[in-house]
Amino acid sequence: MEINVFQALLIGLIYYLSINGTPWLTLLGSTVLARPLICGTLVGLVLGDVVQGCVIGAAISLPYLAYISAGGTVPMDPGLAGTLGTALAMAANASPEVAVSMAVPIGLLGTVIWIAHMTVDISFLHMIDKAADDLNSKKIDRIQMFIPQLFLMLISVIPVFIVAYFGSGVVKDILDALEGKPLHVLEVIGGVLPALGVAMILKSIMSKDTAAFYFLGFVLAVYLELPIIAVSILAFITAFVYTQLFFKPNQV
């Protein structure tokens, strides 16, 4: 599969929206689009195969199940991993396991974009301070709304566009050269990384207060073979009843 100029541009815009909370989508980007499952599905839509994009995005999501960004720090970038990882994997006809192996290093590189974003944005605050001294509220609005967004668009759309457009063929050639045992090793690594993500999320929920609910869900899904939607609905009802019975309003 070849990625044309228009598709590469759209993929870059998807990544831009995934790391951009305001003002365009009122935090929808950072909370929803940054998830590899979501941005991977959107990339699949752009490349003409939504199902494959969803499958690869879901696989890439697993290592990031326990991902959290605390205090503005970003140890990795699931949005870039899901966007560019899915695009390159689909272009190279790679398996989901290989896609995960490619996406995790890409996600680490995404921290460079985030650091550049936060570092340069400090200068915009000084511009706002000067406008505030001049009592120019319209200038404050313009600086706050547009200048940081233009800078973020430049450092997010352009790199992703270049890699998606020019790098897809390179990735395919590399994977073709690794055909055989090297590629099998990548698939094995890609199979282990999701287990790491699952283990991290299990560590966070394995306490005396929540472990029973985990095993209850496991029994419902594995032994009673309930579909995931039914298990999710039961989990929501259980959580609601539990909080109503055991938590006071000021404790929730």
Side-chain angles (χ1 to χ4, degrees):
M1 176 187 296
E2 292 186 0
I3 299 177
N4 59 42
V5 173
F6 182 65
Q7 289 173 326
L9 180 61
L10 288 179
I11 292 169
L13 288 173
I14 291 173
Y15 174 59
Y16 160 72
L17 293 175
S18 75
I19 61 172
N20 176 44
T22 54
W24 317 121
L25 297 177
T26 60
L27 291 179
L28 180 61
S30 58
T31 57
V32 178
L33 291 181
R35 303 302 174 186
L37 174 60
I38 305 301
C39 54
T41 302
L42 293 176
V43 169
L45 179 64
V46 170
L47 297 181
D49 193 342
V50 179
V51 174
Q52 185 65 8
C54 182
V55 169
I56 294 177
I60 296 174
S61 293
L62 293 176
Y64 297 99
L65 283 177
Y67 168 80
I68 184 172
S69 175
T73 60
V74 177
M76 59 192 73
D77 189 344
L80 185 61
T83 304
L84 201 51
T86 301
L88 295 178
M90 292 184 65
N93 295 320
S95 66
E97 292 81 7
V98 174
V100 173
S101 298
M102 294 191 302
V104 171
I106 291 174
L108 293 175
L109 291 175
T111 59
V112 177
I113 295 177
W114 179 260
I115 292 172
H117 176 208
M118 293 292 101
T119 302
V120 176
D121 275 3
I122 295 174
S123 62
F124 303 143
L125 293 177
H126 296 309
M127 296 169 63
I128 291 176
D129 288 338
K130 188 177 184 303
D133 291 336
D134 297 335
L135 302 179
N136 192 337
S137 60
K138 292 184 178 179
K139 186 176 181 180
I140 293 175
D141 291 338
R142 288 196 300 269
I143 296 173
Q144 178 181 339
M145 293 287 289
F146 298 110
I147 297 180
Q149 294 301 318
L150 290 174
F151 174 70
L152 179 59
M153 185 175 291
L154 287 175
I155 64 173
S156 59
V157 175
I158 293 177
V160 172
F161 168 82
I162 293 174
V163 175
Y165 183 67
F166 294 102
S168 57
V170 176
V171 171
K172 188 177 187 308
D173 292 339
I174 292 174
L175 292 181
D176 290 341
L178 294 176
E179 189 69 35
K181 287 187 177 180
L183 189 60
H184 178 66
V185 171
L186 284 178
E187 291 177 342
V188 172
I189 294 174
V192 172
L193 288 173
L196 178 62
V198 173
M200 292 174 65
I201 197 69
L202 285 178
K203 184 179 179 181
S204 66
I205 66 175
M206 277 300 178
S207 67
K208 63 180 181 179
D209 297 323
T210 58
F213 297 109
Y214 166 74
F215 288 110
L216 175 61
F218 182 82
V219 170
L220 292 175
V222 176
Y223 292 99
L224 299 183
E225 297 183 351
L226 291 180
I228 190 64
I229 294 178
V231 175
S232 300
I233 294 174
L234 289 174
F236 174 79
I237 295 173
T238 303
F240 178 79
V241 173
Y242 183 82
T243 54
Q244 293 297 313
L245 291 177
F246 297 102
F247 288 91
K248 296 179 181 179
N250 59 354
Q251 291 180 309
V252 179

